[in-house]
Amino acid sequence: MIKEIKFTNNALKQIANLLSKKDDGSFFRIAIKGGGCSGFQYEFTFEKSKNDDDLNFENILIDKTSANLLKGSEVDYVSELIGEFFKISNPQTKSSCGCGVSFSL
């Protein structure tokens, strides 16, 4: 399932960089949570342990429900004038809010 989610080299480098600064064996978690003005939002956190239903790719954890909702997505790390951030291009997204933080499926 996680093979159906593409990570750009920029995203993998940034995740590896962030994890190296933690220096405590943490994992980088990507999840989809309910919330925001459009219904769902992406969440990026650090975790010290895996759950039984987690998929693991290069120390990136995604729970099975989120992985299903991320199917076909590309995770990138971009640097723009307004800042640096992880950007997920998700083909399952129907609409997003004006600020781009939340979306609907």
Side-chain angles (χ1 to χ4, degrees):
M1 172 73 71
I2 204 162
K3 293 176 184 170
E4 297 174 12
I5 302 167
K6 181 182 176 191
F7 292 88
T8 66
N9 286 334
N10 284 342
L12 291 174
K13 286 178 188 175
Q14 182 61 18
I15 291 168
N17 181 43
L18 292 169
L19 288 173
S20 73
K21 291 179 181 177
K22 296 293 287 177
D23 197 33
D24 63 358
S26 290
F27 297 95
F28 186 82
R29 178 176 295 283
I30 301 173
I32 294 178
K33 301 289 183 184
C37 54
S38 293
F40 294 98
Q41 58 191 9
Y42 298 109
E43 181 178 74
F44 305 97
T45 59
F46 295 102
E47 305 233 345
K48 291 195 181 214
S49 61
K50 299 187 288 187
N51 297 325
D52 291 336
D53 72 335
D54 283 337
L55 303 172
N56 184 1
F57 173 75
E58 298 192 24
N59 293 325
I60 302 166
L61 301 178
I62 304 175
D63 65 88
K64 286 184 182 177
T65 301
S66 294
N68 228 5
L69 297 172
L70 286 165
K71 193 175 180 179
S73 295
E74 179 181 82
V75 179
D76 193 10
Y77 188 77
V78 296
S79 178
E80 297 179 349
L81 289 175
I82 60 171
E84 296 180 0
F85 53 92
F86 286 99
K87 177 181 178 181
I88 298 181
S89 299
N90 187 339
Q92 298 184 65
T93 299
K94 301 288 187 235
S95 65
S96 62
C97 66
C99 65
V101 172
S102 68
F103 60 96
S104 65
L105 296 171

